[in-house]
Amino acid sequence: MSPLRGRDLEAFYSLTLQVGNTLNLDKEIEAFLDWLGSAIRPRWAALFLADEAQRRLQLRGLRGAPAVAPASLPMGDDPWQWLEEQDLLPPEATRGRRYAVPVTVEGRLLGVLCVVSGKKRASQREQNLVAAAAAYLGPVIRNIARYERLREELLSQVSARTQAEALFRSLVEQTLVGVALLDAQGRFTYVNPALAHMLGEAIPNLMDRPFLAYVVSEEQTALAQLFEQVYRDPQASAQRTLRLLRKDGREVHAEVAIQPVTYRTLPHILVMATDITERVYAEEAYHAVAERTPTGMTIMQEDRIVYANPAFAHAIGYPLEEIYRQRVSTFLRKFIAPEDREQAMRYLRHLEHVGAALERYTFRYVRPDGTVRWAQAFGTTIRYRGKPAVLLTYIDITALVEAREAVQRRAEYLQTLYHIVTTASRAQDLQGLLETTVDLVMKALEAPIGGASLTPEVSPQQVPPVLRGFEDTEQTQEAAEVIQESLGQITHWETAFVIDNWEQAPPPWQRWAPYAQRYGVRASLAVPIGLPERPLGVLFVADTKPRSWQEEEIRLLESVGQEVAESIERLRLIEDLQEALQAKEEMIQNVSHELRTPLTLIRGYLELLMDESLGPLTPEQREAVQVMLRNADRQQFMIDRLLLMQQLRDWEVLWEPIRVAAWFQELAFAWRTQAEEAGITLEWEVTPQDLRLQGDRRLLTVMMDNLIHNAIKFSPNGGTVRLRAWRDNDAVVIAVSDEGIGIPPDQLARIFERFYQVSRGLSRRFEGLGIGLSLCAEIVAKHRGRIWAESKGEGQGATFYVRLPALL
Ligand code: ADP
């Protein structure tokens, strides 16, 4: 390219004045095309700018034609051809000479300038000028592009910074954590609303004031030292609780973190403070309660006991210093009873991991003096000083457990006593009573040796002493003698005679020690049978090894001793009663016999008189004899019953078949006169007609006689007495019913007792001894049958039923 001269140089100079003055690409392009227009007057011109990313040429400016929509052609294509295809060339542009000049910078294509010259033949000069202009345009375009890139970058950086700052501000301003920046003198250069609020002061008032002015005086020195330390070591940071002083003089408890930071290129201290006043107060309140409550409390955290209250220390018997800060496992091993340790650990682990609240757990613990006590723990997970922890509360339940055990022991004791007493009281005689009692107490007290002996006054027939657990009969015999001999002493006993170890027997008893030794007795427990003032004998148990007799054991044996005495009294009463009964039976027997002999004689003569064997009778005499005979019969009936009652005990039932119909007929016939005299109709009925039963005809007749006799006797107003019999499965049921005075329901069972009579008031007394029905009952029992009575009540009649085996 040749140098520019003359007008061209001037034109180029004007280009440098017109173009490259702004940082606006569009304006520059416009200015450039304007300059081109005035400098060379082309027919047409266009500027394409390269878009390297798209590898296309962008049409940016047109000279001498209206603007067109943005358009581009791929790089490397011929722009003229593309312009024609796009129909962008105006008709006048088709005539002049065309040429294209690249716009480059340092070999990089920035664009292409297309020109249709205004002259017929474009001179070399014109092309030189255009090329120089294009060369000038290159750097201009590049600089603008560079500037724009830079500007965009700058803009984006600036906006990021302001955004971050805004975010930081809004965070710090809104957080509940107090934040402040202190300068080297410890004065506020920044403070957020939370901290200002904490200090009860407006933000502007805080600025430039020393932070220490808002700290309680006691803590100022320590804090100042801390600041210095943090300054000296930029890596340092510290955290501590602090009492801040509000403007109004109140104190605020805060957890404060201090850290060196650089702010606006100067070293500062960043202070962050959390208000923990509520927590501190809550803890204070908690501790105030915990220090005074009788409930034991511990807090465990990270396997350490971080808190224990005085009640806990007092209960377990260790000083607080020995509990506080101890490892949980070490401590549990120290105070929980070995049997319960593993479970206690498991309980704690469970609490820590599962965190179940208020689970109850009972365990034994050992005090330093070795005493074992019971406690119940309630565990729950809590947060303590900001971290998870386990709170255990304890109550000592030893008294409760002991009381429960005592009740249990008492119940067992009563049960044993009841068992011994009821079993022994069933004994039929003194010997049996003593034997059962001794066996039972030995078992209950787990004693290998035992015995009982009665004083001679109690058992005149000499009930021999009962001795168990001695080696052989010879030894037993000898022991019996020794005990009999010592019995005299028991009259003086006030309480039980307790020897835990015969080798250390008290002096009064030492004379028996050799015997004890001989029989291998090392410990013994003896109580009087009966009350101390009225001893009936002695009851004892013994052991072959020393033994400390328990209070319960002594009480049990004493109670048994008293109960045995009562049983003895009872047995003696029964014996007396049996003797009396025996005597009475014998008397009845004798009297009956004595009465029967003369009665037989009387009846004999009366019958002779009646037969007129002793001479004829007047009607009046006959009447009199008849009355006498009838009463003699009645007396005979009574005496026979009495005698039969005595004999019945040894009576053997003579089983024979009885045809009920025939038997009833006989009975009706036998009773017809008496029934007639009483104005009573006697009826009978048997179904089926051939009904038969098994039994002792003589006894059953006596039974029926009694039932019929009663039926007539208790039917004062006449009426009907009905005998019935029928089959009921393999039994025959007999019923004797009347329409008489009836029986009150509450007496129905008792009338079968011997000598029992229903009391009916003075006006309605009936003769009788109350033995008829008891006789019936005995007869029925001998037949393995059943007898019972039914009555709807007084005046409603009565029915007596008898169930006997049928003859199949
Ligand atoms: P007793 O010899 O006195 O008749 P029993 O043993 O035969 O004695 O009867 C006992 C009691 O049963 C009688 O005193 C009477 O009160 C009552 N008793 C028995 N049979 C009848 C009956 N058929 N009607 C009402 N009471 C009766």
PDB file of all heavy atoms in Angstrom, residues 641 710-711 713-714 738 741-743 751 753 756-758 760 767-774 798 800, ligand 1:
ATOM      1  N   ARG A 641     -89.141 -98.849 120.524  1.00  0.00           N
ATOM      2  CA  ARG A 641     -88.323 -97.939 119.722  1.00  0.00           C
ATOM      3  C   ARG A 641     -87.010 -97.614 120.432  1.00  0.00           C
ATOM      4  O   ARG A 641     -85.943 -97.565 119.827  1.00  0.00           O
ATOM      5  CB  ARG A 641     -89.083 -96.633 119.436  1.00  0.00           C
ATOM      6  CG  ARG A 641     -90.181 -96.830 118.426  1.00  0.00           C
ATOM      7  CD  ARG A 641     -90.617 -95.525 117.847  1.00  0.00           C
ATOM      8  NE  ARG A 641     -90.867 -94.515 118.867  1.00  0.00           N
ATOM      9  CZ  ARG A 641     -91.399 -93.334 118.623  1.00  0.00           C
ATOM     10  NH1 ARG A 641     -91.706 -93.005 117.388  1.00  0.00           N
ATOM     11  NH2 ARG A 641     -91.604 -92.458 119.581  1.00  0.00           N
ATOM     12  N   ASN A 710     -96.658 -90.743 113.138  1.00  0.00           N
ATOM     13  CA  ASN A 710     -96.544 -89.275 113.128  1.00  0.00           C
ATOM     14  C   ASN A 710     -97.653 -88.642 112.306  1.00  0.00           C
ATOM     15  O   ASN A 710     -98.241 -87.634 112.698  1.00  0.00           O
ATOM     16  CB  ASN A 710     -95.192 -88.839 112.553  1.00  0.00           C
ATOM     17  CG  ASN A 710     -94.075 -88.958 113.578  1.00  0.00           C
ATOM     18  OD1 ASN A 710     -94.340 -89.157 114.768  1.00  0.00           O
ATOM     19  ND2 ASN A 710     -92.836 -88.867 113.117  1.00  0.00           N
ATOM     20  N   ALA A 711     -97.902 -89.225 111.131  1.00  0.00           N
ATOM     21  CA  ALA A 711     -98.911 -88.658 110.235  1.00  0.00           C
ATOM     22  C   ALA A 711    -100.264 -88.585 110.946  1.00  0.00           C
ATOM     23  O   ALA A 711    -100.984 -87.581 110.826  1.00  0.00           O
ATOM     24  CB  ALA A 711     -99.010 -89.494 108.968  1.00  0.00           C
ATOM     25  N   LYS A 713    -100.646 -88.719 114.287  1.00  0.00           N
ATOM     26  CA  LYS A 713    -100.499 -87.898 115.491  1.00  0.00           C
ATOM     27  C   LYS A 713    -100.567 -86.398 115.174  1.00  0.00           C
ATOM     28  O   LYS A 713    -101.171 -85.621 115.899  1.00  0.00           O
ATOM     29  CB  LYS A 713     -99.151 -88.212 116.152  1.00  0.00           C
ATOM     30  CG  LYS A 713     -98.948 -87.494 117.480  1.00  0.00           C
ATOM     31  CD  LYS A 713     -97.821 -88.102 118.276  1.00  0.00           C
ATOM     32  CE  LYS A 713     -96.467 -87.493 117.888  1.00  0.00           C
ATOM     33  NZ  LYS A 713     -95.385 -88.054 118.723  1.00  0.00           N
ATOM     34  N   PHE A 714     -99.966 -86.002 114.072  1.00  0.00           N
ATOM     35  CA  PHE A 714     -99.913 -84.561 113.774  1.00  0.00           C
ATOM     36  C   PHE A 714    -101.044 -84.101 112.842  1.00  0.00           C
ATOM     37  O   PHE A 714    -100.971 -83.048 112.227  1.00  0.00           O
ATOM     38  CB  PHE A 714     -98.558 -84.187 113.197  1.00  0.00           C
ATOM     39  CG  PHE A 714     -97.440 -84.370 114.199  1.00  0.00           C
ATOM     40  CD1 PHE A 714     -96.516 -85.397 114.076  1.00  0.00           C
ATOM     41  CD2 PHE A 714     -97.363 -83.519 115.302  1.00  0.00           C
ATOM     42  CE1 PHE A 714     -95.528 -85.582 115.014  1.00  0.00           C
ATOM     43  CE2 PHE A 714     -96.362 -83.710 116.247  1.00  0.00           C
ATOM     44  CZ  PHE A 714     -95.438 -84.751 116.112  1.00  0.00           C
ATOM     45  N   ASP A 738     -99.707 -86.410 104.844  1.00  0.00           N
ATOM     46  CA  ASP A 738    -100.885 -86.131 105.681  1.00  0.00           C
ATOM     47  C   ASP A 738    -101.359 -84.714 105.394  1.00  0.00           C
ATOM     48  O   ASP A 738    -100.728 -83.957 104.663  1.00  0.00           O
ATOM     49  CB  ASP A 738    -100.529 -86.303 107.164  1.00  0.00           C
ATOM     50  CG  ASP A 738     -99.436 -85.351 107.624  1.00  0.00           C
ATOM     51  OD1 ASP A 738     -99.601 -84.132 107.459  1.00  0.00           O
ATOM     52  OD2 ASP A 738     -98.377 -85.838 108.141  1.00  0.00           O
ATOM     53  N   ILE A 741    -100.622 -80.570 110.592  1.00  0.00           N
ATOM     54  CA  ILE A 741    -100.153 -79.232 110.998  1.00  0.00           C
ATOM     55  C   ILE A 741     -98.933 -78.754 110.204  1.00  0.00           C
ATOM     56  O   ILE A 741     -98.577 -77.580 110.262  1.00  0.00           O
ATOM     57  CB  ILE A 741     -99.821 -79.204 112.504  1.00  0.00           C
ATOM     58  CG1 ILE A 741     -98.698 -80.208 112.818  1.00  0.00           C
ATOM     59  CG2 ILE A 741    -101.062 -79.501 113.340  1.00  0.00           C
ATOM     60  CD1 ILE A 741     -98.141 -80.027 114.216  1.00  0.00           C
ATOM     61  N   GLY A 742     -98.289 -79.681 109.501  1.00  0.00           N
ATOM     62  CA  GLY A 742     -97.161 -79.267 108.665  1.00  0.00           C
ATOM     63  C   GLY A 742     -95.905 -78.939 109.469  1.00  0.00           C
ATOM     64  O   GLY A 742     -95.899 -79.004 110.708  1.00  0.00           O
ATOM     65  N   ILE A 743     -94.841 -78.626 108.759  1.00  0.00           N
ATOM     66  CA  ILE A 743     -93.543 -78.361 109.395  1.00  0.00           C
ATOM     67  C   ILE A 743     -92.976 -77.064 108.801  1.00  0.00           C
ATOM     68  O   ILE A 743     -92.958 -76.903 107.580  1.00  0.00           O
ATOM     69  CB  ILE A 743     -92.551 -79.518 109.109  1.00  0.00           C
ATOM     70  CG1 ILE A 743     -93.145 -80.846 109.575  1.00  0.00           C
ATOM     71  CG2 ILE A 743     -91.207 -79.277 109.771  1.00  0.00           C
ATOM     72  CD1 ILE A 743     -92.481 -82.065 108.994  1.00  0.00           C
ATOM     73  N   ILE A 751     -85.481 -82.216 111.815  1.00  0.00           N
ATOM     74  CA  ILE A 751     -86.376 -83.170 112.501  1.00  0.00           C
ATOM     75  C   ILE A 751     -85.830 -84.591 112.507  1.00  0.00           C
ATOM     76  O   ILE A 751     -86.278 -85.414 113.302  1.00  0.00           O
ATOM     77  CB  ILE A 751     -87.798 -83.171 111.869  1.00  0.00           C
ATOM     78  CG1 ILE A 751     -87.698 -83.367 110.355  1.00  0.00           C
ATOM     79  CG2 ILE A 751     -88.541 -81.872 112.193  1.00  0.00           C
ATOM     80  CD1 ILE A 751     -89.058 -83.489 109.685  1.00  0.00           C
ATOM     81  N   GLU A 753     -82.842 -85.305 113.400  1.00  0.00           N
ATOM     82  CA  GLU A 753     -81.850 -85.448 114.471  1.00  0.00           C
ATOM     83  C   GLU A 753     -82.491 -86.134 115.659  1.00  0.00           C
ATOM     84  O   GLU A 753     -83.680 -85.981 115.912  1.00  0.00           O
ATOM     85  CB  GLU A 753     -81.348 -84.048 114.906  1.00  0.00           C
ATOM     86  CG  GLU A 753     -80.452 -83.394 113.893  1.00  0.00           C
ATOM     87  CD  GLU A 753     -80.193 -81.938 114.236  1.00  0.00           C
ATOM     88  OE1 GLU A 753     -80.375 -81.566 115.410  1.00  0.00           O
ATOM     89  OE2 GLU A 753     -79.840 -81.176 113.314  1.00  0.00           O
ATOM     90  N   TYR A 756     -84.896 -84.451 118.499  1.00  0.00           N
ATOM     91  CA  TYR A 756     -85.330 -83.130 118.041  1.00  0.00           C
ATOM     92  C   TYR A 756     -86.840 -83.093 117.885  1.00  0.00           C
ATOM     93  O   TYR A 756     -87.452 -83.971 117.301  1.00  0.00           O
ATOM     94  CB  TYR A 756     -84.674 -82.766 116.707  1.00  0.00           C
ATOM     95  CG  TYR A 756     -84.957 -81.332 116.317  1.00  0.00           C
ATOM     96  CD1 TYR A 756     -84.198 -80.285 116.851  1.00  0.00           C
ATOM     97  CD2 TYR A 756     -86.031 -81.017 115.473  1.00  0.00           C
ATOM     98  CE1 TYR A 756     -84.475 -78.967 116.532  1.00  0.00           C
ATOM     99  CE2 TYR A 756     -86.310 -79.697 115.157  1.00  0.00           C
ATOM    100  CZ  TYR A 756     -85.532 -78.684 115.685  1.00  0.00           C
ATOM    101  OH  TYR A 756     -85.827 -77.381 115.372  1.00  0.00           O
ATOM    102  N   GLN A 757     -87.441 -82.034 118.446  1.00  0.00           N
ATOM    103  CA  GLN A 757     -88.878 -81.840 118.278  1.00  0.00           C
ATOM    104  C   GLN A 757     -89.105 -80.412 117.833  1.00  0.00           C
ATOM    105  O   GLN A 757     -88.447 -79.492 118.312  1.00  0.00           O
ATOM    106  CB  GLN A 757     -89.603 -82.077 119.604  1.00  0.00           C
ATOM    107  CG  GLN A 757     -89.656 -83.565 119.957  1.00  0.00           C
ATOM    108  CD  GLN A 757     -90.372 -83.790 121.262  1.00  0.00           C
ATOM    109  OE1 GLN A 757     -89.899 -83.356 122.312  1.00  0.00           O
ATOM    110  NE2 GLN A 757     -91.502 -84.470 121.208  1.00  0.00           N
ATOM    111  N   VAL A 758     -90.054 -80.254 116.939  1.00  0.00           N
ATOM    112  CA  VAL A 758     -90.367 -78.900 116.484  1.00  0.00           C
ATOM    113  C   VAL A 758     -91.114 -78.208 117.618  1.00  0.00           C
ATOM    114  O   VAL A 758     -92.076 -78.757 118.158  1.00  0.00           O
ATOM    115  CB  VAL A 758     -91.242 -78.944 115.218  1.00  0.00           C
ATOM    116  CG1 VAL A 758     -91.647 -77.532 114.809  1.00  0.00           C
ATOM    117  CG2 VAL A 758     -90.501 -79.645 114.100  1.00  0.00           C
ATOM    118  N   ARG A 760     -93.625 -75.742 119.087  1.00  0.00           N
ATOM    119  CA  ARG A 760     -94.846 -75.177 118.491  1.00  0.00           C
ATOM    120  C   ARG A 760     -95.644 -74.352 119.507  1.00  0.00           C
ATOM    121  O   ARG A 760     -96.826 -74.145 119.345  1.00  0.00           O
ATOM    122  CB  ARG A 760     -95.751 -76.294 117.975  1.00  0.00           C
ATOM    123  CG  ARG A 760     -95.076 -77.171 116.952  1.00  0.00           C
ATOM    124  CD  ARG A 760     -96.012 -78.221 116.451  1.00  0.00           C
ATOM    125  NE  ARG A 760     -95.317 -79.188 115.611  1.00  0.00           N
ATOM    126  CZ  ARG A 760     -95.130 -79.031 114.304  1.00  0.00           C
ATOM    127  NH1 ARG A 760     -95.572 -77.965 113.707  1.00  0.00           N
ATOM    128  NH2 ARG A 760     -94.485 -79.948 113.624  1.00  0.00           N
ATOM    129  N   GLU A 767     -97.131 -85.356 122.606  1.00  0.00           N
ATOM    130  CA  GLU A 767     -96.277 -86.303 123.313  1.00  0.00           C
ATOM    131  C   GLU A 767     -95.202 -86.821 122.352  1.00  0.00           C
ATOM    132  O   GLU A 767     -95.349 -86.742 121.141  1.00  0.00           O
ATOM    133  CB  GLU A 767     -97.102 -87.473 123.833  1.00  0.00           C
ATOM    134  CG  GLU A 767     -97.768 -88.249 122.694  1.00  0.00           C
ATOM    135  CD  GLU A 767     -98.425 -89.525 123.188  1.00  0.00           C
ATOM    136  OE1 GLU A 767     -99.056 -89.477 124.270  1.00  0.00           O
ATOM    137  OE2 GLU A 767     -98.287 -90.527 122.504  1.00  0.00           O
ATOM    138  N   GLY A 768     -94.160 -87.362 122.894  1.00  0.00           N
ATOM    139  CA  GLY A 768     -93.096 -87.890 122.025  1.00  0.00           C
ATOM    140  C   GLY A 768     -91.741 -87.566 122.583  1.00  0.00           C
ATOM    141  O   GLY A 768     -91.589 -86.715 123.462  1.00  0.00           O
ATOM    142  N   LEU A 769     -90.728 -88.264 122.069  1.00  0.00           N
ATOM    143  CA  LEU A 769     -89.350 -88.084 122.556  1.00  0.00           C
ATOM    144  C   LEU A 769     -88.433 -87.535 121.484  1.00  0.00           C
ATOM    145  O   LEU A 769     -87.278 -87.250 121.720  1.00  0.00           O
ATOM    146  CB  LEU A 769     -88.808 -89.428 123.037  1.00  0.00           C
ATOM    147  CG  LEU A 769     -89.511 -90.046 124.240  1.00  0.00           C
ATOM    148  CD1 LEU A 769     -89.010 -91.461 124.454  1.00  0.00           C
ATOM    149  CD2 LEU A 769     -89.272 -89.216 125.487  1.00  0.00           C
ATOM    150  N   GLY A 770     -88.962 -87.486 120.302  1.00  0.00           N
ATOM    151  CA  GLY A 770     -88.088 -86.997 119.213  1.00  0.00           C
ATOM    152  C   GLY A 770     -87.098 -88.047 118.765  1.00  0.00           C
ATOM    153  O   GLY A 770     -85.978 -87.732 118.382  1.00  0.00           O
ATOM    154  N   ILE A 771     -87.510 -89.320 118.851  1.00  0.00           N
ATOM    155  CA  ILE A 771     -86.570 -90.355 118.371  1.00  0.00           C
ATOM    156  C   ILE A 771     -87.104 -91.081 117.151  1.00  0.00           C
ATOM    157  O   ILE A 771     -86.341 -91.717 116.424  1.00  0.00           O
ATOM    158  CB  ILE A 771     -86.228 -91.394 119.468  1.00  0.00           C
ATOM    159  CG1 ILE A 771     -87.490 -92.060 119.977  1.00  0.00           C
ATOM    160  CG2 ILE A 771     -85.433 -90.743 120.577  1.00  0.00           C
ATOM    161  CD1 ILE A 771     -87.192 -93.253 120.862  1.00  0.00           C
ATOM    162  N   GLY A 772     -88.393 -90.942 116.877  1.00  0.00           N
ATOM    163  CA  GLY A 772     -88.988 -91.681 115.755  1.00  0.00           C
ATOM    164  C   GLY A 772     -88.276 -91.401 114.446  1.00  0.00           C
ATOM    165  O   GLY A 772     -87.844 -92.344 113.754  1.00  0.00           O
ATOM    166  N   LEU A 773     -88.128 -90.155 114.082  1.00  0.00           N
ATOM    167  CA  LEU A 773     -87.546 -89.829 112.767  1.00  0.00           C
ATOM    168  C   LEU A 773     -86.052 -90.138 112.709  1.00  0.00           C
ATOM    169  O   LEU A 773     -85.537 -90.519 111.665  1.00  0.00           O
ATOM    170  CB  LEU A 773     -87.795 -88.358 112.419  1.00  0.00           C
ATOM    171  CG  LEU A 773     -89.242 -88.020 112.021  1.00  0.00           C
ATOM    172  CD1 LEU A 773     -89.364 -86.556 111.677  1.00  0.00           C
ATOM    173  CD2 LEU A 773     -89.688 -88.866 110.832  1.00  0.00           C
ATOM    174  N   SER A 774     -85.380 -89.996 113.861  1.00  0.00           N
ATOM    175  CA  SER A 774     -83.954 -90.321 113.831  1.00  0.00           C
ATOM    176  C   SER A 774     -83.774 -91.818 113.616  1.00  0.00           C
ATOM    177  O   SER A 774     -82.843 -92.246 112.934  1.00  0.00           O
ATOM    178  CB  SER A 774     -83.260 -89.848 115.111  1.00  0.00           C
ATOM    179  OG  SER A 774     -83.593 -90.682 116.185  1.00  0.00           O
ATOM    180  N   ALA A 798     -97.769 -82.504 105.617  1.00  0.00           N
ATOM    181  CA  ALA A 798     -96.362 -82.857 105.396  1.00  0.00           C
ATOM    182  C   ALA A 798     -96.292 -84.152 104.621  1.00  0.00           C
ATOM    183  O   ALA A 798     -97.218 -84.971 104.675  1.00  0.00           O
ATOM    184  CB  ALA A 798     -95.636 -83.005 106.731  1.00  0.00           C
ATOM    185  N   PHE A 800     -93.430 -87.236 103.810  1.00  0.00           N
ATOM    186  CA  PHE A 800     -92.119 -87.838 104.057  1.00  0.00           C
ATOM    187  C   PHE A 800     -91.811 -88.781 102.907  1.00  0.00           C
ATOM    188  O   PHE A 800     -92.629 -89.607 102.544  1.00  0.00           O
ATOM    189  CB  PHE A 800     -92.106 -88.591 105.391  1.00  0.00           C
ATOM    190  CG  PHE A 800     -92.043 -87.637 106.558  1.00  0.00           C
ATOM    191  CD1 PHE A 800     -93.188 -86.991 106.998  1.00  0.00           C
ATOM    192  CD2 PHE A 800     -90.843 -87.382 107.190  1.00  0.00           C
ATOM    193  CE1 PHE A 800     -93.119 -86.090 108.054  1.00  0.00           C
ATOM    194  CE2 PHE A 800     -90.757 -86.486 108.239  1.00  0.00           C
ATOM    195  CZ  PHE A 800     -91.899 -85.830 108.679  1.00  0.00           C
TER     196      PHE A 800
HETATM  197  P1  ADP B   1     -91.682 -87.657 118.180  1.00  0.00           P
HETATM  198  O1  ADP B   1     -91.346 -88.867 118.864  1.00  0.00           O
HETATM  199  O2  ADP B   1     -91.603 -86.425 119.005  1.00  0.00           O
HETATM  200  O3  ADP B   1     -92.796 -87.735 117.262  1.00  0.00           O
HETATM  201  P2  ADP B   1     -90.162 -87.737 115.791  1.00  0.00           P
HETATM  202  O4  ADP B   1     -88.682 -87.898 115.604  1.00  0.00           O
HETATM  203  O5  ADP B   1     -91.003 -88.769 115.243  1.00  0.00           O
HETATM  204  O6  ADP B   1     -90.394 -87.462 117.288  1.00  0.00           O
HETATM  205  O7  ADP B   1     -90.537 -86.364 115.150  1.00  0.00           O
HETATM  206  C1  ADP B   1     -89.755 -85.214 115.401  1.00  0.00           C
HETATM  207  C2  ADP B   1     -90.584 -84.005 115.225  1.00  0.00           C
HETATM  208  O8  ADP B   1     -90.927 -83.856 113.883  1.00  0.00           O
HETATM  209  C3  ADP B   1     -91.869 -84.024 115.889  1.00  0.00           C
HETATM  210  O9  ADP B   1     -91.768 -83.544 117.205  1.00  0.00           O
HETATM  211  C4  ADP B   1     -92.721 -83.119 115.061  1.00  0.00           C
HETATM  212  O10 ADP B   1     -92.583 -81.801 115.513  1.00  0.00           O
HETATM  213  C5  ADP B   1     -92.170 -83.239 113.706  1.00  0.00           C
HETATM  214  N1  ADP B   1     -92.995 -84.122 112.858  1.00  0.00           N
HETATM  215  C6  ADP B   1     -92.767 -85.413 112.555  1.00  0.00           C
HETATM  216  N2  ADP B   1     -93.695 -85.869 111.685  1.00  0.00           N
HETATM  217  C7  ADP B   1     -94.554 -84.847 111.439  1.00  0.00           C
HETATM  218  C8  ADP B   1     -95.734 -84.723 110.632  1.00  0.00           C
HETATM  219  N3  ADP B   1     -96.223 -85.726 109.903  1.00  0.00           N
HETATM  220  N4  ADP B   1     -96.332 -83.509 110.631  1.00  0.00           N
HETATM  221  C9  ADP B   1     -95.842 -82.483 111.368  1.00  0.00           C
HETATM  222  N5  ADP B   1     -94.728 -82.555 112.141  1.00  0.00           N
HETATM  223  C10 ADP B   1     -94.084 -83.732 112.173  1.00  0.00           C
END
